């Protein structure tokens, strides 16, 4: 925590000295010291509760039982980093998992990790886009198992987790919303399922929130922007080429508010404390005004800093043309198409990994890259381009080679996989060619005092973690997150 408690106490003392002396027998109320903000926590997936962050790499188009049914790979962390030898592949074919592998089943199209039942082990929510109910796999000492599961209420799209009422239990928010029988009523919204969940998948309570938009929400970004120890939510909205304003929903003792604050249109994002003032800051891709521009966009990361009332209006924009950021912004780079936050160098400030999947490396188009932006004190501007690092498959020490449309940096995830208190970076290239075209691969760069390093770097495709490797498996198409 870097908000000055000393300054707060000094203010209290000054107030006391300025107050008139109390007469005998008269009680004087003690001045109220403003409470210091609670820095937002960095969520981590730890399915076996051994203190190491575990990795989920999803392949929703992966081949299972001869069908493009999809699967997720779970790679557990250890003292030496990712334990590939004991990785798991979980699909509809896994013992205990309900259903059968189906063509275009999209198992693992979206995942979210959190301790939903409050037993200390992280659980994994797996969403498919083919009408199947979402599945929650319960964590345990031996990790995940298909035999320990529950099916949740239907979630048609995205979901994320957070503690939105501050009771210490993780909640699940999704874009599931009760529909009306009135054909003239076209509403959209989200449902908050408050924890703890039972092992049958039943939440303690639910609350449906109308967003005031016909479509959406799209992305759901959870984190504490107000410093009160309760998670808030940012939602993105749009339809086809239309980019709508994002919205901020405050969490509190009664749960997520039903009213929201309008923000600039953004896509994706993450909430973390980049300037160490105790308030979570929103870093997301600046969506401009039209979704049709996203593929050809150079890319801009927009940071809106938090405050006691939420988004403060203090905004920084970072591109590849920002001082200190390696590279040059070019059409189609898509700088910040995906982002993830974590403290890579252990200095107490969150850093930001920004994927640039469209980056050309020399004449190789769409090879892709990733940039690490480093957090710093508020007095130094917070997140800037100073000390930024860039990595591609052409960087010395990084396995592989930059090839056309690998799209290295399509997914990024920061998490401490070896327990050294520094976040490591997992970056994927779902269109990397292995034995088969577009089988996909992932790389893990270690965090260090100076930032990311290629020392002891790990890279692997699906075959290396005993997962099916077939054409267009696109391993790492999604990396498990909050």
């Amino acid at each position: 925590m870097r908000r000055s408690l000393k300054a707060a106490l000094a203010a209290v003392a000054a107030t006391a000295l300025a107050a008139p002396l109390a007469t005998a027998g008269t009680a004087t109320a003690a001045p109220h010291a403003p409470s210091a903000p609670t820095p937002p926590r960095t969520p981590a997936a730890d399915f076996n509760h051994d203190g190491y962050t575990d990795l989920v790499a999803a392949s929703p188009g992966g081949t299972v039982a001869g069908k493009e049914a999809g699967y997720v790979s779970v790679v557990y962390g250890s003292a030496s980093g990712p334990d590939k030898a004991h990785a798991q592949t979980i699909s509809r074919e896994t013992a205990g998992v309900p259903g059968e592998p189906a063509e275009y089943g999209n198992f693992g199209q979206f995942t979210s990790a959190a301790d939903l039942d409050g037993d200390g082990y992280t659980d994994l929510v797996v969403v498919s886009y083919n009408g199947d109910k979402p599945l929650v796999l319960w964590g345990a000492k031996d990790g995940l198992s298909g035999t320990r599961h529950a099916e949740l209420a239907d979630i048609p799209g995205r979901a994320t987790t957070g503690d939105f009422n501050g009771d210490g239990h993780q909640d699940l928010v999704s874009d599931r919303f009760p529909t009306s029988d009135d054909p003239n009523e076209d509403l959209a919204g989200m449902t908050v399922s408050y924890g703890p969940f039972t092992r049958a998948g039943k939440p303690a309570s639910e609350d449906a929130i109308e967003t005031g938009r016909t479509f959406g929400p799209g992305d759901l970004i959870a984190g504490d922007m107000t410093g009160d120890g309760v998670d808030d939510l940012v939602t993105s909205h749009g339809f086809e080429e239309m980019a709508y304003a994002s919205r901020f929903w405050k969490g509190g003792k009664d749960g997520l508010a039903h009213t929201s604050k309008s923000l600039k249109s953004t896509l994706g994002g993450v909430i973390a404390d980049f300037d160490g003032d105790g308030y979570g800051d929103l870093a997301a891709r600046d969506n401009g005004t039209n979704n049709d521009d996203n593929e050809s966009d150079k890319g801009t990361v927009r940071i809106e800093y938090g405050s006691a009332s939420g988004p403060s209006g203090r905004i920084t924009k970072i591109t590849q043309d920002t001082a200190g950021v390696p590279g040059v912004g070019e059409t189609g780079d898509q700088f910040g198409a995906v982002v993830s936050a974590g403290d890579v160098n252990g200095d107490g400030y969150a850093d930001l990994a920004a994927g640039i999947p469209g980056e050309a490396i020399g004449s190789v188009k769409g090879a892709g890259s990733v940039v690490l932006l480093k957090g710093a004190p508020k007095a130094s501007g917070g997140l800037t381009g100073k000390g930024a690092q860039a990595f591609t498959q052409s960087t010395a020490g990084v396995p592989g080679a930059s090839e056309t449309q690998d799209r290295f940096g399509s997914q990024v995830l920061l998490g401490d996989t070896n327990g050294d208190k520094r976040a490591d970076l997992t970056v994927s290239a779902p269109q990397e060619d292995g034995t088969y075209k577009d089988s996909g691969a992932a790389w893990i760069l270690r965090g260090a005092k100076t930032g990311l390093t290629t020392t002891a770097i790990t890279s692997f495709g699906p075959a290396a973690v005993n997962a099916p490797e077939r054409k267009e498996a696109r391993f790492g198409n999604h990396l498990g997150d909050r």
Side-chain angles (χ1 to χ4, degrees), residues 55 57 73 75 82 84 399 426-427 440-444 458-465 475:
L55 172 68
S73 293
V75 185
K84 295 181 291 182
T426 302
V427 53
W443 292 254
I444 300 180
T458 301
S459 68
F460 50 90
V465 291
F475 180 82

Side-chain angles (χ1 to χ4, degrees), residues 11-233:
V12 173
T15 303
L17 290 173
L21 293 175
T23 57
T26 303
T28 303
H32 176 69
S35 59
T38 302
R41 70 182 186 88
T42 301
D46 187 0
F47 304 117
N48 54 7
H49 196 54
D50 63 356
Y52 303 105
T53 298
D54 305 322
L55 172 68
V56 177
S59 302
T63 300
V64 177
K67 301 174 182 178
E68 293 182 27
Y71 61 84
V72 296
S73 293
V74 182
V75 185
Y76 294 94
S78 72
S80 56
D83 182 7
K84 295 181 291 182
H86 297 93
Q88 286 179 286
T89 297
I90 300 174
S91 70
R92 292 290 180 191
E93 194 178 38
T94 301
V97 174
E100 299 291 335
E103 193 71 31
Y104 312 122
N106 292 309
F107 185 84
Q109 182 67 36
F110 186 80
T111 65
S112 187
D115 179 11
L116 295 180
D117 60 353
D119 66 352
Y121 296 93
T122 304
D123 311 307
L124 181 66
V125 178
V126 183
V127 179
S128 306
Y129 279 180
N130 67 338
D132 289 330
K133 289 184 177 180
L135 189 70
V136 55
L137 301 167
W138 304 111
K141 187 175 182 179
D142 60 348
L144 300 178
S145 169
T147 59
R148 292 189 299 267
H149 73 268
E151 289 185 299
L152 302 179
D154 181 46
I155 301 174
R158 289 185 173 272
T160 196
T161 54
D163 182 5
F164 302 113
N165 58 4
D167 66 352
H169 296 292
Q170 288 293 296
D171 314 312
L172 182 74
V173 59
S174 72
D175 60 1
R176 177 169 61 93
F177 187 70
T179 57
S180 171
D181 294 330
D182 184 351
N184 297 315
E185 194 173 74
D186 195 4
L187 302 176
M190 54 192 175
T191 295
V192 188
S193 301
Y194 289 98
F197 284 67
T198 68
R199 278 300 181 102
K202 182 177 176 58
S205 63
E206 287 196 331
D207 185 24
I209 301 175
E210 184 185 344
T211 60
R213 290 292 189 187
T214 302
F215 303 100
D219 296 308
L220 300 155
I221 310 302
D224 181 10
M225 294 192 72
T226 60
D228 61 356
V230 181
D231 284 327
D232 311 303
L233 187 74

Side-chain angles (χ1 to χ4, degrees), residues 338 355 407-413 425-430 476-479:
V338 291
R407 297 187 69 80
F408 180 86
S410 289
Q411 291 289 309
V412 295
L413 182 66
L425 172 66
T426 302
V427 53
S428 71
N477 190 70
H478 176 77
L479 296 177

Side-chain angles (χ1 to χ4, degrees), residues 451-471:
L452 291 173
T453 175
T454 58
T455 301
I457 189 172
T458 301
S459 68
F460 50 90
V465 291
N466 301 312
E469 182 178 10
R470 294 288 187 272
K471 181 180 179 181

Side-chain angles (χ1 to χ4, degrees), residues 41-43 270-274 339-353 372-375 383 413-416 421-425 447 452:
R41 70 182 186 88
T42 301
V270 67
I271 294 172
D273 187 4
F274 301 111
V339 294
S340 183
D343 185 0
V344 171
N345 53 14
D347 65 354
Y349 301 95
D351 307 308
L352 187 76
L372 180 72
L373 303 171
K374 296 176 181 177
L383 201 67
L413 182 66
L414 287 171
D416 182 10
K421 310 303 182 185
R422 294 187 173 97
D424 311 307
L425 172 66
L452 291 173

